[in-house]
Amino acid sequence: MSIIAQSISYTHPDREVLFQHISFSISAGQKAALVGNNGTGKSTLLQVLAGLLQASDGSVQLSGRHYYVPQHLGQYNSQTIAQALGVAGKLQALHAILNGDASEQHFTALNDDWDIEERVHSALDYWQLQHLDVNQPMADLSGGEKTKVFLAGILIHQPQIVLLDEPSNHLDGPARQLLYQWIAQTKSTVLVVSHDITLLNQLDLTLELTRQGVTAYGGNYDFYLAQRDGQLTALQAQADEKQKALKQAKQKARDLAEQRQRQEARGKAAGKSQSLPRIVAGTLQRQAEQSTAKMKAVQSEKLDSLSADLQQLRTQVQEQHELKIDLRRSDLHRGKLLVDMQAVNVIVNGHPLWAEPVNFQLRSGERVRVSGRNGSGKTTLLRLLMGLQEPSEGQVIKAPFTCLYLDQEYSAINNHLTVLAQLQQHNQRHLPEHDLKMLLHYHQFNAAYWNRPCAALSGGEKMKLLLCCMAVTNHLPDVLILDEPTNNLDLQSQQVLTNAVRSFEGTFLVISHDEYFLGEVKLMSEFWMSE
């Protein structure tokens, strides 16, 4: 039931090295988190552990049956629920036997798993999926339903080791509570890749994946943060000391160079005055030149070493510091009626989306959470509010206001632009290109990203790029609307977003099931969407 990774490395097919010589272990029954910035390879590492990808070096030992819950679920759209769960063959064999077909192949396929159908139905019931048929295609399901299907697979297969990649993404509040409850009760060994801080605080071991490898912290996420704060202080102190030593070394090098120049000048003067025999003067000059060259080499090596150490420390400090985004005060006076939705409904497939028409008002300065179960129409409400969609019934009355909408598809990103061009498009502060590149690098977009098309970015990377765009614009919105903003966003960037939203003094609406994030952003009210 343990997990042991010994010096494993992974290289992409394009020969880009993602991580090298990573070693760690998780004991039987232990519950661990794998954290790190977007792009460090957390999901890839999880797939290597699950045997879905082959490490380019090293070895993996999983001492027990394992089960993997993937993050990206679109690749299963062509399968039925039963196929995605890996039980289609057994269910087919069971039904054939029950219908009188006693072929040996059916008994072989079933492998004495006579209660498989009962376990499937029980697992789907647990995850509130009793309305689904196992022969339904996965393509018909919402993101939350797909996630819950794979979580149901844990109860069906009863593994000893469970690998979870962003398991709370797309889950509504009740489903997240079920997930937290299962993790608290399970005896299985669990490794979770997640940006859900509530979930991470339930785990008793935190593994941080960085470019330097994996570091283990013997506690939950809050413990890990406290340890990281201490490390950041120590790193900053080391960087300050290295900066001081480098300055002193440079001054010493200048002093020595001046001293040698004076000595060489005296030697040349002595030679010209014929006070020394020519052969002696030449020998002394050569010795002085050799001594100077040797001294320069020693000083250069020392300066290079100090500079390299300082750069490494600065990089480590920079990786831990947070980007600051200043969302300034809106010009609208508080309490102004911005949106008045009267008896609104939307017809979907010939039926009203809401059993009761929606009446909703939004006033300047309010901070509102829009809540409801998966499929209750929360995103539709936001689209109606912004005028991106017209109601089938009722009316939406709007006052003039500016709005920034960060949706789940990151549609504010122009996929045809490069990363740098996208940032330049929002550069209303007219920062020079060098500063823009520094900002991108500071937010984990190194030089390899600058000319990469935005279409090639992951969801988390697109959200981080939007945060960078917000940092360079002068015209910030009257209304900020976020739809599941923390999905796929690494923990450092979540903190950047949280701090920015918390300080925003305009009007704020959010759809989120991330209770930790919601608790940090100073909400004033909640609007519940009934189905």
Side-chain angles (χ1 to χ4, degrees), residues 147-161:
T147 299
K148 287 191 278 189
V149 163
F150 279 95
L151 290 171
I154 300 171
L155 302 181
I156 295 168
H157 296 287
Q158 301 174 354
Q160 297 164 310
I161 297 172

Side-chain angles (χ1 to χ4, degrees), residues 218-232:
N220 66 5
Y221 180 72
D222 284 346
F223 175 84
Y224 154 77
L225 275 188
Q227 296 296 308
R228 280 287 300 270
D229 287 344
Q231 288 177 356
L232 179 57

Side-chain angles (χ1 to χ4, degrees), residues 180-195:
Y180 303 154
Q181 178 183 320
W182 175 82
I183 287 177
Q185 295 175 348
T186 185
K187 302 299 182 184
S188 298
T189 304
V190 178
L191 177 60
V192 182
V193 169
S194 179
H195 300 123

Side-chain angles (χ1 to χ4, degrees), residues 220-460:
N220 66 5
Y221 180 72
D222 284 346
F223 175 84
Y224 154 77
L225 275 188
Q227 296 296 308
R228 280 287 300 270
D229 287 344
Q231 288 177 356
L232 179 57
T233 301
L235 283 172
Q236 187 63 63
Q238 289 179 48
D240 292 343
E241 285 297 318
K242 287 292 181 184
Q243 178 68 53
K244 182 179 178 181
L246 181 61
K247 184 178 179 180
Q248 291 173 343
K250 286 180 177 179
Q251 183 60 51
K252 185 175 181 180
R254 286 193 294 269
D255 293 343
L256 287 171
E258 291 173 1
Q259 181 182 345
R260 286 297 175 187
Q261 285 174 355
R262 288 193 296 269
Q263 290 175 347
E264 289 175 11
R266 285 196 296 270
K268 289 179 181 178
K272 288 180 180 178
S273 67
Q274 304 298 320
S275 59
L276 291 173
R278 182 177 299 178
I279 188 169
V280 174
T283 300
L284 290 174
Q285 182 175 346
R286 284 193 301 274
Q287 288 176 342
E289 289 173 349
Q290 290 171 356
S291 178
T292 298
K294 185 177 180 180
M295 187 68 70
K296 282 182 178 179
V298 170
Q299 287 298 318
S300 178
E301 184 178 348
K302 183 176 182 180
L303 288 174
D304 288 346
S305 176
L306 284 169
S307 295
D309 290 345
L310 179 59
Q311 182 59 43
Q312 183 179 7
L313 285 167
R314 283 175 172 170
T315 299
Q316 290 177 269
V317 169
Q318 185 182 47
E319 285 176 353
Q320 295 190 41
H321 269 304
E322 294 173 3
L323 176 69
K324 299 295 190 296
I325 300 173
D326 180 22
L327 294 179
R328 292 171 289 281
R329 183 191 303 273
S330 167
D331 293 332
L332 297 177
H333 69 266
R334 293 182 70 87
K336 178 181 179 180
L337 184 61
L338 301 181
V339 179
D340 187 8
M341 302 176 67
Q342 301 176 1
V344 165
N345 216 326
V346 176
I347 303 301
V348 179
N349 297 325
H351 300 283
L353 178 58
W354 299 299
E356 296 291 334
V358 171
N359 295 287
F360 174 71
Q361 288 187 336
L362 179 67
R363 296 183 181 275
S364 176
E366 291 184 329
R367 302 175 70 85
V368 183
R369 175 189 182 184
V370 179
S371 302
R373 293 182 180 273
N374 293 134
S376 61
K378 300 184 295 295
T379 299
T380 300
L381 179 77
L382 296 187
R383 291 179 58 81
L384 290 168
L385 182 147
M386 291 180 290
L388 299 176
Q389 185 172 340
E390 292 297 322
S392 305
E393 301 172 0
Q395 60 178 337
V396 180
I397 303 170
K398 290 178 56 183
F401 61 85
T402 59
C403 176
L404 176 62
Y405 176 42
L406 303 185
D407 62 355
Q408 295 186 52
E409 303 300 323
Y410 313 103
S411 57
I413 292 285
N414 184 340
N415 286 323
H416 300 293
L417 295 178
T418 64
V419 169
L420 180 59
Q422 173 73 35
L423 187 59
Q424 287 171 326
Q425 192 176 68
H426 287 77
N427 185 22
Q428 296 166 338
R429 291 168 56 191
H430 303 294
L431 298 176
E433 183 174 302
H434 172 75
D435 287 351
L436 296 181
K437 288 179 176 179
M438 285 296 294
L439 177 64
L440 288 171
H441 183 79
Y442 188 58
H443 218 48
Q444 295 103 43
F445 291 107
N446 59 30
Y449 277 93
W450 297 342
N451 294 315
R452 187 175 298 180
C454 292
L457 300 181
S458 69

Side-chain angles (χ1 to χ4, degrees), residues 47-77:
Q47 291 178 64
V48 169
L49 296 176
L52 300 175
L53 292 176
Q54 180 64 45
S56 51
D57 195 16
S59 64
V60 173
Q61 299 174 34
L62 271 63
S63 58
R65 299 186 315 277
H66 71 273
Y67 181 82
Y68 166 71
V69 174
Q71 174 186 353
H72 302 292
L73 304 167
Q75 67 269 37
Y76 298 95
N77 282 350

